[in-house]
């Protein structure tokens, strides 16, 4: 895998996870709006979802950086 492919894969993963995060928050908000849940529970679930997203982003950034360092620069 080249460095460009690695960076592109990282960006794609971040975009996909961002979409999943938005869908999760939308579902939590919709269930609260329909009266199926308590506002405190919905807020806490949203906060936990965002924290998980941030932790996954940090983990993926560290793993990608380590892989990036392993790939040698192409000689010109």
């Amino acid at each position: 895998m080249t460095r460009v492919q690695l960076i592109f894969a990282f960006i794609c993963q971040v975009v996909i996870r961002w979409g999943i995060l938005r869908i999760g928050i939308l579902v939590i908000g919709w269930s609260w709006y329909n009266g199926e849940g308590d506002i405190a529970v919905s807020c806490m679930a949203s906060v936990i979802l965002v924290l998980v997203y941030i932790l996954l982003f940090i983990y993926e950034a560290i793993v990608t950086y380590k892989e990036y360092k392993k790939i040698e620069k192409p000689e010109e």
Side-chain angles (χ1 to χ4, degrees), residues 46-65:
S46 298
V47 167
I48 290 171
L49 197 59
V50 169
L51 288 176
V52 168
Y53 175 80
I54 291 170
L55 290 174
L56 281 173
F57 176 79
I58 292 170
Y59 171 76
E60 192 63 39
I62 291 170
V63 170
T64 303
Y65 181 73

Side-chain angles (χ1 to χ4, degrees), residues 39 43 70:
I39 182 104
C43 289
K70 287 182 185 176

Side-chain angles (χ1 to χ4, degrees), residues 12-13 23 36-37 41 44 48 60 62 69 73:
C12 287
Q13 288 176 356
I23 291 170
E36 298 172 6
V41 174
M44 191 53 117
I48 290 171
E60 192 63 39
I62 291 170
K69 287 300 222 177
K73 291 182 184 175

